[in-house]
Structure formats: C-alpha cells, structure tokens
C-alpha cells in the first residue's frame, strides 16, 4: 500500500487545467511546457505533482495535473518570476480559453 502521507490531506490543492492549442502552435507550446516543468521541479518544493498530459479524445488538447501541498504553495507557483513569460507564450498558443477545475480532497483527510 502507498504511504498515506504521500497522498496529501484536506489542505492539498489540486487542479486540472485543460488547454486546446492551435495546431500550428503545438510544438511551441510543448517546448514552453517542457521548460516550465523543468523550472517548477527545480524551484518549487511545495509542488507535489505538475504533469502535462494529452487529452485522449480531443486533438491538440492537453490537461495539466497540478497538486500543491496547500493553497499557499499554489499561490507561490503563480508568483514565480518565470511564470509571466511562460504564460505569455502559452496564451499565444491557445485556440480557446482554458478550462480550470479545482478539486477538493475528501480522503485521506
């Protein structure tokens, strides 16, 4: 069985962000996402999970899986000095506004 402490608790902040990317911008988006993941992993210890996945049914659509130790860690993530530059490029690649789903952890509490 997995160590329960690795699964977070009620303070853990989880969100899914779905992004449809313009086909002609997909490579640029992926390069930017790769750089962003490297920066997050190197600089943000409060990030538990920061993963980009491809949507199984929607072409050129990606889903970010993001988990933070708590809301403060998520807020720090958004205020990191490299985020504005990354987000500028990502916004230029979007085919439509992103969809954001914030999840409330119930168990383990």
């Amino acid at each position: 069985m997995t160590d329960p402490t690795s699964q977070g608790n009620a303070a853990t902040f989880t969100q899914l962000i779905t992004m449809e990317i313009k086909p002609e911008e997909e490579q640029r988006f992926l390069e930017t996402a790769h750089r962003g993941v490297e920066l997050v992993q190197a600089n943000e210890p409060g990030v538990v999970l920061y993963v980009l996945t491809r949507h199984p049914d929607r072409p050129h659509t990606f889903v970010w899986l993001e988990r933070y130790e708590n809301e403060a860690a998520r807020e720090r993530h958004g205020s990191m000095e490299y985020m504005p530059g990354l987000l500028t490029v990502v916004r230029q690649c979007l085919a439509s506004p992103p969809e954001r789903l914030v999840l409330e952890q119930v168990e383990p509490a």
Side-chain angles (χ1 to χ4, degrees):
M1 178 173 208
T2 303
D3 176 6
T5 61
S6 70
Q7 297 177 18
N9 56 46
T12 304
F13 185 95
T14 304
Q15 65 182 1
L16 306 176
I17 301 174
T18 303
M19 297 179 169
E20 181 184 358
I21 304 301
K22 298 172 192 170
E24 66 275 14
E25 294 286 357
E26 189 168 308
Q27 186 58 41
R28 183 175 176 220
F29 169 75
L30 289 171
E31 290 167 1
T32 302
H34 177 76
R35 180 70 181 131
V37 169
E38 287 179 334
L39 288 165
V40 168
Q41 290 175 342
N43 297 294
E44 300 184 47
V47 177
V48 177
L49 179 69
Y50 194 75
V51 177
L52 180 65
T53 62
R54 191 177 298 273
H55 195 287
D57 302 322
R58 293 165 48 189
H60 311 292
T61 301
F62 298 86
V63 181
W64 285 102
L65 309 172
E66 300 180 17
R67 289 193 60 135
Y68 304 88
E69 289 178 350
N70 49 43
E71 176 67 22
R74 192 208 58 82
E75 289 174 2
R76 274 192 310 277
H77 167 72
S79 67
M80 297 300 289
E81 67 276 357
Y82 45 80
M83 289 307 292
L86 294 171
L87 290 174
T88 295
V89 175
V90 168
R91 286 186 188 108
Q92 293 169 353
C93 297
L94 292 173
S96 61
E99 303 166 23
R100 180 174 179 241
L101 178 64
V102 175
L103 303 172
E104 178 184 353
Q105 182 160 325
V106 177
E107 289 293 335

Coordinates of all heavy atoms in Angstrom, one line a residue, residues 7-8 13 18 29-30 40 42-43 55 61 70 74 76 88 90 93 108:
Q7 N -0.2 11.0 -0.2 CA -1.5 11.2 -0.9 C -2.1 12.6 -0.5 O -3.2 12.9 -1.0 CB -2.4 10.1 -0.6 CG -1.9 8.8 -1.1 CD -2.8 7.6 -0.8 OE1 -4.0 7.8 -0.4 NE2 -2.3 6.4 -0.8
G8 N -1.4 13.3 0.3 CA -2.0 14.6 0.7 C -3.0 14.5 1.8 O -3.2 13.5 2.4
F13 N -4.0 21.2 -2.5 CA -4.7 21.9 -3.5 C -4.5 21.2 -4.8 O -3.3 21.0 -5.3 CB -4.2 23.4 -3.6 CG -5.0 24.2 -4.6 CD1 -6.0 25.0 -4.2 CD2 -4.7 24.2 -5.9 CE1 -6.7 25.8 -5.1 CE2 -5.4 25.0 -6.8 CZ -6.4 25.7 -6.4
T18 N -7.4 22.3 -18.6 CA -7.5 21.8 -20.0 C -7.2 22.9 -20.9 O -7.9 24.0 -20.8 CB -8.8 21.1 -20.2 OG1 -9.0 20.1 -19.2 CG2 -8.9 20.5 -21.6
F29 N 4.1 25.3 -27.9 CA 3.5 25.1 -26.6 C 4.2 24.0 -25.9 O 4.6 24.1 -24.7 CB 2.0 24.7 -26.8 CG 1.4 24.2 -25.6 CD1 1.1 25.0 -24.5 CD2 1.2 22.8 -25.4 CE1 0.5 24.5 -23.4 CE2 0.6 22.3 -24.2 CZ 0.3 23.2 -23.2
L30 N 4.5 22.9 -26.5 CA 5.2 21.7 -25.9 C 6.6 22.1 -25.4 O 7.0 21.7 -24.3 CB 5.2 20.5 -26.8 CG 3.9 19.8 -27.0 CD1 4.0 18.8 -28.1 CD2 3.3 19.2 -25.7
V40 N 9.7 24.4 -12.6 CA 8.9 24.1 -11.4 C 9.6 23.0 -10.6 O 9.7 23.2 -9.4 CB 7.5 23.7 -11.8 CG1 6.7 23.1 -10.7 CG2 6.7 24.9 -12.4
A42 N 12.7 22.3 -10.4 CA 13.9 22.8 -9.8 C 13.7 23.8 -8.7 O 14.6 24.0 -7.8 CB 14.8 23.4 -10.9
N43 N 12.6 24.5 -8.7 CA 12.5 25.7 -7.8 C 11.3 25.7 -6.9 O 11.1 26.7 -6.1 CB 12.4 27.0 -8.7 CG 13.6 27.2 -9.5 OD1 14.7 27.4 -9.0 ND2 13.5 27.0 -10.8
H55 N -5.0 15.0 -23.9 CA -6.4 14.5 -23.8 C -6.6 13.4 -24.8 O -6.2 13.4 -25.9 CB -7.3 15.7 -24.2 CG -8.7 15.5 -23.8 ND1 -9.6 14.6 -24.4 CD2 -9.4 16.0 -22.7 CE1 -10.7 14.6 -23.8 NE2 -10.7 15.5 -22.8
T61 N -5.3 19.0 -27.6 CA -5.8 19.4 -26.3 C -5.0 18.7 -25.2 O -4.7 17.5 -25.3 CB -7.3 19.0 -26.1 OG1 -8.0 19.7 -27.1 CG2 -7.8 19.5 -24.8
N70 N -0.5 22.9 -0.5 CA -1.6 23.7 0.1 C -1.8 24.9 -0.8 O -1.1 25.1 -1.8 CB -1.3 24.2 1.5 CG 0.1 24.8 1.6 OD1 0.5 25.6 0.8 ND2 0.9 24.4 2.6
R74 N 0.4 26.9 -4.1 CA -0.2 27.2 -5.4 C 0.0 28.7 -5.7 O 0.3 29.1 -6.8 CB -1.7 26.8 -5.5 CG -2.2 26.9 -7.0 CD -3.6 27.2 -7.1 NE -4.1 28.4 -6.5 CZ -4.0 29.6 -7.1 NH1 -3.4 29.8 -8.2 NH2 -4.4 30.7 -6.4
R76 N 2.3 30.7 -4.5 CA 3.7 30.9 -4.8 C 4.1 30.5 -6.2 O 4.8 31.2 -6.9 CB 4.6 30.1 -3.8 CG 4.9 30.8 -2.5 CD 6.0 30.1 -1.7 NE 5.8 28.7 -1.5 CZ 5.0 28.1 -0.6 NH1 4.4 28.9 0.3 NH2 5.0 26.8 -0.5
T88 N 2.7 34.0 -21.1 CA 2.5 34.8 -22.3 C 2.6 33.9 -23.5 O 1.8 34.0 -24.4 CB 3.6 35.9 -22.4 OG1 3.4 36.8 -21.3 CG2 3.5 36.7 -23.7
V90 N 2.2 30.6 -23.7 CA 1.1 29.7 -23.6 C -0.2 30.3 -24.1 O -1.0 29.8 -24.9 CB 0.9 29.1 -22.2 CG1 -0.5 28.3 -22.1 CG2 2.0 28.2 -21.9
C93 N -0.6 30.5 -27.7 CA -0.8 29.2 -28.4 C -2.2 28.7 -28.2 O -2.6 27.7 -28.9 CB 0.2 28.1 -27.7 SG 1.9 28.5 -28.0
P108 N -7.5 10.8 1.6 CA -7.4 10.9 3.0 C -7.5 12.3 3.4 O -7.0 13.2 2.7 CB -6.1 10.3 3.3 CG -5.3 10.3 2.1 CD -6.3 10.3 0.9

